Amino acid sequence: HCFSSPRVREEYSGKMLPGVNLIMAAGVLGAQCYCKARWCQTLADGTSKHAMIGLVGNLSGSGLSMQLGQVEKYSGNPLFQQDKPWEPRLDNGYPNVVYDDVSAQNGDGPWRLWYGGLGDGEAEGQYLYYANSTDGLHWTKPNLNRYDVNEKWGKEPWAKAVGKKNNIIMYGGGLGIYHDLHDPDPSQRYKISGGSPAGCYSDDGSSDCAVATAGSPDGIHNWSHVTPLTFPAPWRPDCHTNLFYDDRHDEYRMTTRDYTSSSGRDISIAVSGGGGSAPRHWTGNWTLMYNNTYPPTEEASGAGCSHLSVGPTDDAAAACGLHCRTVDNCAFFWVYTTGRSRGTCCPKASIDPGKLMRPACPTCGGKFFKMDGQPVIPPSPSPGNASVFGNWKEPVIVETGVEAHQLYSQITFPFYDIYLGIVMVFDATNGNVGPAAGHVHCRLSWSANGLTNWQWVDSRSALSHNSSTVPEFIPAGPIGSFESHVCFAAHFPMKMPDGTIRLYYMGGNGPHSGQRNTSFALATLKPDGFAGVGGSNGVTSTAPVLVTAATMIVTADVLPGGSITISVIGANLNAPLITTNVTDHVIQFSGSGLQPYVGKSVSFNFKVEDGVVYTLGFMSTQPP
């Protein structure tokens, strides 16, 4: 279940596909299909995609603005409610949704859900529950035979009969579950983080408790490598702590929370200290990609150049390819094959789009190659080892609200070349009773690098500004509905095989700190439809974009009578109007099109009338 557009998805088979020109991703997709958990910026067939909101600068005076995508609520909501005696109050829920086809082979899933809730009375505290589904719509709360409710709820008349026949995984709150496809160790396929109160990792989920990270083969049993988190104040993890592995920087990122006196709850992010610790060597042969082409100015990562000792009859490219195989993360290499610089070999992991530089030796023959074998990932140290999953750096506050509108928690995830965050904003000063009291709003923010300069999508205002005027991304329901007051989004949004997006969330029908019931629900978006740039009549241009393939694709919405016009800045290339809603729509430019610009950076001009542009990209072959 690869989380990439079905029109462009092909698992990399170890052979170059026709028309491939450049693959930028550090760690080219292998048979494991590493883009399962994200919207990949670059795929193995040469397709690359960009979020439109990350390509434009200041839109002031352009007639255009950043706009939220239009969420559609599922007609069958809610999917389930707090309907078991051992889940008297699901409270914020903190849902974690995973699609796992391997688990489904064992009769569990493929849709899997971890969610939290509160006990009461003698069972006061918080608990981590589990549910599964075959379609993501109809959910079952299976008996896990782990946690004995009779030990905690013994005075309740139902507790003795239930015993371990319940869906409780462990005692603990604020716990985030991550399905980790990066770690080659199957015993650590699922990772957990957080704990307020501490999560309990014994076989019955009631002891060996810690505020920590840990790993499990299935997210339920056999927890190991329990590593306490000891961040100093103002860190306070009583929220939905959540993880993802960021292959752009070869590190894990943990979204959590700090608590300061001036603004109350703030979003903070911690980064693992182990970049580059799980090497991705490459096997197989190499395939010529560019011949006598100037190398890029710089590389996003990778080792420096070396001068290899090659004899008069030796193949310099072959020697450099062998050297590439020994360098961690080497997927490309540039080599001088003739002249006085012959044998200079530059392994590269990924290419930083930008101006190409003139070789130091203009008379030397230079060739650009790409390794085409499937990746071989050697066994890595255990996640308890600080170089891989531990050694967390202290969380840094990346977003702050104000005391009246506090940033309660955030679900952070990569989206093509940017990062998105679904932020839960708590109206903390409106009391605990009444229709206006204690609302928690699901709003959308974004950042270019995920660590700095987070901004609201719709206004580009700094997150320190009053967020009460920022529109909701997942709108609350009317008073009297199951979701009238509270929204907590699930980690992660899910991309379906047809490209549409599922946004699971918990909805509450009363104030955050008052009486309420909580239900699990679903909303959807069109493919790539989180956010875009649009308006009734305006013009904007993009930053330079590396053209990785000759066919341009665009996802956009257009109202009746509206249109979107695209042209290449600095060239006499124009495209026919877009006059309807499109997904990965092929843009046919005049003349020879984009072919002469492949491998170069180009800026595009967009004229938008009653429309919104979500993404643009390039693909090597036209979709069917």
Side-chain angles (χ1 to χ4, degrees), residues 238-310:
D238 54 339
C239 69
H240 189 181
T241 299
N242 55 93
L243 297 167
F244 69 92
Y245 171 71
D246 186 4
D247 60 3
R248 303 178 201 173
H249 301 94
D250 197 11
E251 63 191 16
Y252 290 88
R253 293 186 176 183
M254 177 192 300
T255 304
T256 181
R257 184 171 76 186
D258 284 17
Y259 199 101
T260 61
S261 58
S262 59
S263 55
R265 300 165 175 87
D266 302 312
I267 304 302
S268 61
I269 294 179
V271 176
S272 65
S277 60
R280 290 184 289 245
H281 293 301
W282 297 83
T283 60
N285 298 314
W286 41 89
T287 300
L288 177 65
M289 296 191 67
Y290 286 116
N291 191 355
N292 297 321
T293 300
Y294 297 158
T297 305
E298 38 186 18
E299 53 204 344
S301 60
C305 299
S306 302
H307 187 76
L308 306 178
S309 178
V310 292

Side-chain angles (χ1 to χ4, degrees), residues 55-197:
L55 293 178
V56 297
N58 188 344
L59 292 170
S60 177
S62 70
L64 303 176
S65 63
M66 294 190 179
Q67 299 185 3
L68 293 173
Q70 296 300 305
V71 165
E72 182 176 344
K73 301 286 185 70
Y74 175 56
S75 61
N77 281 340
L79 302 179
F80 67 75
Q81 299 172 313
Q82 50 188 61
D83 55 6
K84 301 295 183 183
W86 54 87
E87 48 179 32
R89 177 178 171 127
L90 292 186
D91 203 56
N92 302 336
Y94 299 145
N96 306 266
V97 179
V98 166
Y99 185 101
D100 186 350
D101 50 5
V102 174
S103 178
Q105 296 172 13
N106 299 319
D108 185 358
W111 292 92
R112 312 184 72 199
L113 168 67
W114 291 255
Y115 63 103
L118 306 180
D120 60 6
E122 63 177 330
E124 183 178 359
Q126 299 188 42
Y127 299 85
L128 181 65
Y129 305 102
Y130 178 72
N132 57 20
S133 171
T134 58
D135 60 4
L137 302 175
H138 304 88
W139 291 84
T140 300
K141 300 175 181 179
N143 293 332
L144 299 179
N145 296 308
R146 282 179 55 85
Y147 191 92
D148 192 344
V149 297
N150 193 43
E151 294 182 0
K152 280 275 190 177
W153 278 283
K155 295 182 180 180
E156 297 291 340
W158 51 266
K160 185 175 181 180
V162 172
K164 291 187 176 183
K165 292 181 292 185
N166 60 71
N167 65 327
I168 299 175
I169 296 175
M170 67 173 71
Y171 181 89
L175 298 165
I177 299 290
Y178 175 51
H179 186 211
D180 186 7
L181 299 175
H182 163 71
D183 194 329
D185 185 351
S187 73
Q188 306 297 305
R189 184 65 59 230
Y190 284 83
K191 291 183 169 60
I192 194 170
S193 61
S196 182

